[in-house]
Amino acid sequence: MAFTYSLLASTTVGSGGASSINFTNIPQNYTDLCLVISARVTRAVSASVICLTFNGSASGYSQRNINGNGASAASVSTSATVNLTYMEVPAANATASTFGNHSIYIPQYSGSSNKSISIDSVSENNGTTAYANLNAGLWANVTAINSLSLTEPNGNSNFVQYSTAYLYGIRAGEY
Amino acid sequence: MAITKATNAGFASNKYNNVSADNYYMEPIAKTLVGSGGTSTITFSNIPQNYKHLQLRTLSKSDYSALAGDDTNNMYFNSDTTYTNYRTHRLNGNGSSATSNTVQSSGVQILAAGQSTRSYTGYTSMFGCGVIDILDYTNTNKYKTVRMLAGSDMNGAGDIAFHSSLWMNTAPITNIVINNSVGNFTQYSRFALYGIRG
């Protein structure tokens, strides 16, 4: 029987906002990680990307993406970049009280292979434009993941109060 | 004393499942299996408020048979049937093209709640499926954003659907109603609601 969602850590952004959301000292005795995020940022646009990095590393990331913006669909890719992106959250000009809904799944995060990442991300807004992104990501690094960081890369923009992030460990049973 | 190991006589005697009663943060809340008469509506009421997130899993089929295809199920919360309180954005692929649009329709309370295969000729025993996640469903500082990944494949036709939906209300979700846009849910359709602690 597999373990389902053991909460490792969570964070709720307070009234002062936060420039990043970080999880450190991640236990290494689980099989997979699942990070769920409900976030909004202060940037003066309707939606803004947030970025994910592991172990403080700024190299080795690539991804394949399919996305929709409420009017058209597209597919893009990145290679050898500094982070995983294409996760869009509502920002200051989006409908009030609206937060994104994101799930990041990392199987075998503590293993000695390169890390594969699946990201499902939606932003929402009461209008034509909102962003849905499905991403297949790669961190070309065989090091076990012991920390991860979410940031808003555009400067002078923070995660707003009530943004939340929950990191779960999932352990497969032994058979 | 915490339970740390359990054995199953059906497996080899030297195999164990490691169990920790403290680690089950995802728990079943309720489920519905549609019976022989079918049903127009699935309702989850009196949803416990002691979780952080909800996950709805669907496996469904409609009795609509006039045309081929499949449809996204509709959903609304807390008996709120005011359509202007809802908005959905869609990303769909049908095997030959991908599209994106937005929906806010008079008379229809659209939150995306899984995909249902129709009962068209040749679609016997084919069901659509979906996983729907609602984060922070009790948070009174947030409108509720729904994320759905769903699909339906009828061996030559079908859709994959990645939708987001917004319920513009900060009230905690206590009640969920699901229906199909073109017909009733058929026998063997099933809907299961899970709570995830945080």
Side-chain angles (χ1 to χ4, degrees):
Chain A
M1 179 186 298
F3 287 89
T4 54
Y5 293 89
S6 297
L7 181 69
L8 303 182
S10 66
T11 187
T12 299
V13 176
S15 59
S19 59
S20 64
I21 293 175
N22 304 295
F23 293 94
T24 60
N25 300 312
I26 296 172
Q28 297 296 298
N29 58 332
Y30 290 88
T31 307
D32 306 332
L33 293 177
C34 182
L35 176 65
V36 295
I37 307 157
S38 172
R40 184 184 177 100
V41 297
T42 59
R43 188 177 174 216
V45 293
S46 63
S48 184
V49 295
I50 59 174
C51 302
L52 173 66
T53 56
F54 303 118
N55 295 6
S57 173
S59 66
Y61 302 93
S62 59
Q63 61 190 106
R64 297 293 179 268
N65 163 279
I66 182 169
N67 65 81
N69 64 5
S72 60
S75 184
V76 295
S77 67
T78 65
S79 295
T81 57
V82 299
N83 52 40
L84 291 173
T85 183
Y86 297 122
M87 292 178 283
E88 305 213 45
V89 299
N93 297 344
T95 302
S97 305
T98 301
F99 291 69
N101 182 328
H102 319 274
S103 176
I104 300 169
Y105 199 89
I106 312 166
Q108 300 291 324
Y109 71 102
S110 64
S112 57
S113 299
N114 290 329
K115 304 304 178 290
S116 297
I117 303 98
S118 177
I119 303 174
D120 298 2
S121 169
V122 299
S123 69
E124 265 309 322
N125 181 44
N126 186 25
T128 298
T129 304
Y131 298 91
N133 286 273
L134 288 170
N135 300 286
L138 172 70
W139 184 41
N141 192 309
V142 299
T143 306
I145 294 173
N146 54 58
S147 68
L148 59 86
S149 180
L150 294 162
T151 57
E152 202 285 353
N154 292 288
N156 298 315
S157 178
N158 291 331
F159 291 100
V160 304
Q161 185 182 22
Y162 309 124
S163 294
T164 56
Y166 303 84
L167 182 65
Y168 295 91
I170 299 169
R171 183 184 296 143
E174 299 174 22
Y175 297 95
Chain B
M1 177 184 293
I3 298 172
T4 59
K5 285 192 176 182
T7 63
N8 186 324
F11 291 88
S13 59
N14 62 340
K15 300 298 183 183
Y16 295 87
N17 292 332
N18 288 316
V19 174
S20 171
D22 294 331
N23 286 346
Y24 287 92
Y25 278 77
M26 185 173 182
E27 300 175 348
I29 295 174
K31 62 182 179 183
T32 296
L33 177 63
V34 178
S36 60
T39 189
S40 62
T41 302
I42 303 294
T43 301
F44 294 100
S45 57
N46 300 312
I47 295 171
Q49 300 294 291
N50 58 327
Y51 298 99
K52 284 296 183 183
H53 319 301
L54 296 174
Q55 185 175 90
L56 175 66
R57 299 181 178 184
T58 70
L59 183 71
S60 58
K61 188 179 185 70
S62 76
D63 62 0
Y64 181 81
S65 61
L67 295 172
D70 51 68
D71 307 279
T72 303
N73 301 326
N74 299 329
M75 173 170 71
Y76 60 92
F77 297 147
N78 294 14
S79 303
D80 182 359
T81 58
T82 302
Y83 81 93
T84 52
N85 290 337
Y86 300 90
R87 166 77 68 169
T88 286
H89 293 87
R90 298 169 170 167
L91 174 60
N92 285 71
N94 63 5
S96 60
S97 64
T99 59
S100 180
N101 60 18
T102 183
V103 179
Q104 186 181 64
S105 294
S106 176
V108 183
Q109 301 76 41
I110 296 180
L111 296 171
Q115 204 82 351
S116 284
T117 304
R118 295 175 178 176
S119 291
Y120 188 68
T121 303
Y123 288 2
T124 303
S125 301
M126 296 178 181
F127 287 69
C129 61
V131 178
I132 299 96
D133 286 285
I134 310 165
L135 305 184
D136 291 339
Y137 74 103
T138 66
N139 194 306
T140 57
N141 296 294
K142 296 181 173 181
Y143 288 165
K144 307 306 180 286
T145 300
V146 178
R147 170 171 43 87
M148 180 196 82
L149 182 61
S152 183
D153 194 292
M154 292 80 75
N155 189 24
D159 288 284
I160 183 164
F162 185 53
H163 294 183
S164 65
S165 300
L166 181 66
W167 181 44
M168 286 170 273
N169 194 313
T170 57
I173 296 172
T174 59
N175 178 280
I176 297 174
V177 173
I178 303 165
N179 53 57
N180 183 265
S181 58
V182 295
N184 296 329
F185 296 116
T186 64
Q187 186 181 20
Y188 307 122
S189 295
R190 61 178 63 226
F191 300 80
L193 184 66
Y194 298 84
I196 300 170
R197 300 185 188 279

